Amino acid sequence: MNGGVSNSKLPLLLKPFLLSFFLSLSILLLFLAASRSLSPTPIPSLPTSAATVRYLDSSSATAAAAGGGLRIRKGLHSYDAYIQLQLNKTLNPKLRKLWKTRDWDRKVRVFAAFFRSLTRRGLLSNSSRALSIGARVGQEVEALRRVGVNDSIGMDLVPSPPLVVRGDFHAQPFPNASFDFEFSNVFDHALYPEKFVGEIERTLRPGGVCVLHVSISKRADKYSANDLYSVGPLVALFRESEVVGVRRVDGFGLDTEVVFRKKMIHKNKKKINPKGTD
């Protein structure tokens, strides 16, 4: 035998080293795992939830609107220019043919599913008098009638009888408190959002429901007049209504459904002292 260490003894000498190495590695991995669990997880930006927007008062809602969450697009120099832009889309013969043929059944089915959901939630009933704002050729109206809401009508710049009458959503052609239910997916087309909402609240009966489908996560098409970046500014515009709910939807490019209920009018009754004394 020579004076060196025999090969048979090498594994025995390596055991303490290997044991120390694996123990250190385990401690390091535990430390990294603990550090990761303690670090904050990024939260994606989402639309304001129903629980949040329900408690917005008028001052905070106005501040939210002023914070840049709702922006009117530039480039429209007059109301006539704005109307012409909208008519360029509504009167487009290719689009109108598409809306009345290939798109018709698909959109009626999707809208009917939305309205059935609202019925199950007690927000719409067969006895409701309903208005669809910006109804184009009337798919929403047809869907309302198919789910049993027979007293339904649509409104658009270009009429499409018998489902849609002529009207500008900035100045609805209906008397006060005409409807129990109003639906729209064209909020982004409003040049004056406050007038758009004001007309809804004017023509909606106390206790009536308004449902809006809007786009929060992406910008709308070239015919849009405004861009909405959060739910807060929309809530700020509804002075006479409360938020019932906010949820994600997949509505032909629109991703958020916001439901409002117009507040009931409570008249203060003057108490009469039976003794006739103060």
Side-chain angles (χ1 to χ4, degrees), residues 157-195:
L157 289 173
V158 179
S160 186
L163 300 177
V164 181
V165 299
R166 185 189 305 275
D168 183 345
F169 50 53
H170 293 109
Q172 291 187 22
F174 307 109
N176 296 349
S178 293
F179 301 99
D180 304 295
F181 176 86
E182 299 193 25
F183 170 81
S184 184
N185 57 5
V186 297
F187 175 79
D188 59 294
H189 288 258
L191 181 62
Y192 303 113
E194 68 282 0
K195 291 185 178 180

Side-chain angles (χ1 to χ4, degrees), residues 170-225:
H170 293 109
Q172 291 187 22
F174 307 109
N176 296 349
S178 293
F179 301 99
D180 304 295
F181 176 86
E182 299 193 25
F183 170 81
S184 184
N185 57 5
V186 297
F187 175 79
D188 59 294
H189 288 258
L191 181 62
Y192 303 113
E194 68 282 0
K195 291 185 178 180
F196 178 95
V197 171
E199 284 296 277
I200 290 175
E201 293 194 310
R202 180 183 67 79
T203 58
L204 199 61
R205 292 168 181 163
V209 171
C210 169
V211 177
L212 298 182
H213 285 182
V214 296
S215 177
I216 299 294
S217 63
K218 63 180 181 180
R219 305 285 56 82
D221 64 25
K222 64 181 181 180
Y223 298 100
S224 298

Side-chain angles (χ1 to χ4, degrees), residues 83-146:
I83 292 293
Q84 187 57 53
L85 177 66
Q86 301 306 311
L87 290 176
N88 287 344
K89 180 176 184 178
T90 307
L91 290 175
N92 185 307
K94 291 183 179 179
L95 287 177
R96 292 188 74 81
K97 182 179 180 180
L98 179 65
W99 296 335
K100 290 183 177 182
T101 53
R102 192 181 71 187
D103 264 10
W104 181 265
D105 288 335
R106 179 175 64 95
K107 289 193 173 182
V108 169
R109 285 197 302 270
V110 172
F111 284 126
F114 282 135
F115 296 140
R116 288 192 188 97
S117 172
L118 294 169
T119 300
R120 289 193 296 268
R121 291 149 62 191
L123 301 170
L124 178 65
S125 71
N126 289 356
S127 62
S128 298
R129 189 178 187 215
L131 171 67
S132 176
I133 302 167
R136 292 183 181 167
V137 295
Q139 293 123 329
E140 300 99 313
V141 182
E142 177 66 22
L144 282 165
R145 295 183 180 183
R146 287 192 187 183

Side-chain angles (χ1 to χ4, degrees), residues 230-243:
S230 67
V231 173
L234 181 61
V235 175
L237 297 172
F238 280 82
R239 304 294 185 180
E240 302 175 24
S241 307
E242 296 176 330
V243 177

Side-chain angles (χ1 to χ4, degrees), residues 6 23 27 42 108 146 169 198 227 272:
S6 65
L23 181 61
I27 294 173
V108 169
R146 287 192 187 183
F169 50 53
D227 292 303
I272 300 176

